[in-house]
């Protein structure tokens, strides 16, 4: 039995579907912390997503795009303690001198942070590229936050990852299914989704 696909909300309201050039964007690297590589918050797809994130970051830097890093601070003793190794940004995607690092305490990286001001100070336009951890949480809600502030986010799918959780009926929801569902939510309204960084012209 075939499934009839609905038009996205973006299509219904007439939002543009054109992709920006990577050089004209600001890359926002979300929570690429060791938190998600080991311990209680380790994600099944973290290493592959981290490698994809490193490729994306390399392409963005080579293209001359602006880069902003986001870290989540959960405080001392938590898996998100940015003062400890567990909460540090993974070395593969470590910030370079001049690349701002914005600290957040909520999934939406714009919520009660300096991210919007940092973007404006960098001279960022409306086009953002988002990637990081976790797809269904901080990536989704940062994409929503960007959209509501007039930005045009693009999410790079293979540079994101989620974890497996119990669904509302208690049945397991596989990490890849949750990842895909989150990307579908983003693509319905908040932004565009591309499979890899290669989809963005330098």
């Amino acid at each position: 039995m075939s499934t009839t696909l609905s038009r996205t909300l973006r299509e219904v309201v007439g939002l543009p579907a054109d992709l920006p050039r990577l050089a004209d964007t600001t890359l926002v690297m979300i929570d690429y912390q060791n938190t998600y590589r080991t311990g209680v918050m380790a994600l099944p797809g973290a290493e592959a997503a981290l490698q994809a994130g490193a490729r994306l970051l390399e392409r963005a830097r080579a293209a001359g795009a602006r880069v902003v890093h986001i870290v989540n601070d959960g405080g001392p003793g938590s898996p998100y303690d940015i003062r400890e190794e567990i909460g540090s940004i993974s070395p593969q995607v470590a910030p370079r001198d001049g690349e701002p690092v914005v600290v957040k305490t909520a999934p939406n990286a714009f919520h009660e942070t300096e991210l919007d001001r940092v973007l404006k100070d960098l001279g960022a336009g409306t086009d953002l590229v988002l990637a990081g951890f976790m797809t269904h949480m901080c990536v989704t809600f940062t994409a929503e936050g960007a959209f509501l502030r007039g930005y045009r986010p693009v999410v790079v799918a293979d540079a994101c990852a989620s974890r497996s959780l119990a669904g509302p009926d208690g049945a397991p929801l596989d990490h890849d299914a949750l990842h895909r569902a989150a990307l579908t939510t983003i693509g319905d309204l908040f932004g565009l989704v591309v499979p890899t960084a290669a989809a963005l012209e330098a």
Side-chain angles (χ1 to χ4, degrees), residues 137-164:
M137 190 57 63
C138 296
V139 176
T140 295
F141 290 105
T142 298
E144 179 193 28
F147 174 79
L148 293 176
R149 286 164 176 78
Y151 293 100
R152 299 193 334 145
V154 177
V155 175
V156 180
D158 73 339
C160 304
S162 285
R163 69 193 200 278
S164 301

Side-chain angles (χ1 to χ4, degrees), residues 26-46:
T26 301
L27 173 61
V28 181
M29 301 284 282
I30 303 169
D31 298 357
Y32 277 108
Q33 294 163 259
N34 293 324
T35 307
Y36 294 109
R37 303 179 67 196
T38 186
V40 67
M41 292 302 300
L43 306 179

Side-chain angles (χ1 to χ4, degrees), residues 85-155:
E85 181 67 19
I86 187 67
S88 298
I89 295 175
S90 296
Q92 295 92 327
V93 291
R96 287 183 177 171
D97 288 345
E99 294 177 352
V101 178
V102 175
V103 178
K104 67 178 179 63
T105 57
N108 176 358
F110 289 90
H111 179 69
E112 297 184 350
T113 72
E114 298 182 341
L115 178 56
D116 193 50
R117 182 189 60 77
V118 166
L119 291 171
K120 288 178 169 57
D121 287 349
L122 286 173
T126 57
D127 290 310
L128 306 181
V129 174
L130 309 183
F133 301 140
M134 297 177 286
T135 323
H136 73 285
M137 190 57 63
C138 296
V139 176
T140 295
F141 290 105
T142 298
E144 179 193 28
F147 174 79
L148 293 176
R149 286 164 176 78
Y151 293 100
R152 299 193 334 145
V154 177
V155 175

Side-chain angles (χ1 to χ4, degrees), residues 165-173:
L165 291 168
D169 59 356
L173 185 62

Side-chain angles (χ1 to χ4, degrees), residues 43-106:
L43 306 179
E47 296 306 316
L50 180 59
Q51 291 174 18
R55 292 192 295 271
L56 170 61
L57 180 57
E58 181 180 15
R59 285 174 60 91
R61 285 169 172 165
R66 305 163 191 85
V67 179
V68 177
H69 301 263
I70 309 294
V71 291
N72 189 76
D73 186 7
S78 77
Y80 298 91
D81 185 352
I82 63 174
R83 289 150 293 274
E84 301 292 341
E85 181 67 19
I86 187 67
S88 298
I89 295 175
S90 296
Q92 295 92 327
V93 291
R96 287 183 177 171
D97 288 345
E99 294 177 352
V101 178
V102 175
V103 178
K104 67 178 179 63
T105 57

